[in-house]
């Protein structure tokens, strides 16, 4: 329960005990800079479910969402080598972009890009390319990220992704 893997049920409901927080979800381990698993993110498998599409571990002594970029443990060297970081929204986008050969990619885990993320990237890159989903949430996330990144001195670019697409769907349709 303290680690967020299990959740306590409501004694007055049909779930009085504990239950797996990430049931019926595709699990993504969230790792720290050294590659150690510190949390999880789960994507709902059922298309029409009424629950949130993504669910992250709660904040714990090991995990603070505002301090961790998904995939940074694998991408920090390619980011340093390229001098550029590609930022996408979600885990599947990050994995697809990485597998397509763009290894200097991280995910902000939704729209939660923070000043701590910007400082982390500034230590490894001179430029950031925002590759958020081409939807209202993605546009708002890009605007917020620009406001956070601008004062850091990083050069910031925004990728123009066709309407209704995200990095994952675009690569699946158009290739690398």
């Amino acid at each position: 329960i303290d680690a967020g893997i299990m959740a306590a049920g409501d004694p007055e409901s049909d779930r009085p005990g504990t239950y797996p927080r990430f049931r019926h979800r595709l699990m993504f381990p969230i790792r720290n800079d050294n590659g150690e698993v510190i949390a999880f993110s789960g994507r709902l498998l059922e298309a029409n479910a009424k629950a949130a599409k993504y669910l992250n571990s709660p904040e714990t002594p090991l995990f603070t969402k505002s301090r961790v970029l998904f995939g940074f443990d694998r991408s920090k060297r390619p980011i340093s080598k390229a001098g550029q970081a590609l930022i996408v929204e979600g885990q599947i986008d990050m994995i697809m972009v990485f597998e397509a050969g763009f290894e200097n990619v991280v995910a902000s885990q939704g729209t939660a890009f923070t000043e701590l993320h910007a400082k982390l990237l500034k230590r490894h890159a001179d430029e950031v390319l925002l590759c958020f989903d081409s939807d209202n949430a993605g546009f708002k996330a890009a605007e917020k990220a620009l406001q956070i990144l601008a004062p850091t001195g990083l050069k910031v670019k925004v990728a123009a992704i066709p309407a209704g697409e995200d990095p994952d769907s675009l690569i699946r349709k158009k290739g690398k």
Side-chain angles (χ1 to χ4, degrees), residues 67-80:
R67 296 182 178 275
V68 181
L69 288 165
F70 182 79
F72 187 72
D73 62 306
R74 305 229 180 216
S75 299
K76 65 183 170 185
R77 284 189 184 90
I79 288 170
S80 292

Side-chain angles (χ1 to χ4, degrees), residues 15-32:
R15 288 194 202 139
T18 58
Y19 62 94
R21 179 183 302 275
F22 298 104
R23 64 197 177 283
H24 309 297
R25 292 177 184 269
L26 176 63
M27 298 298 298
F28 298 96
I30 299 172
R31 301 173 188 274
N32 65 14

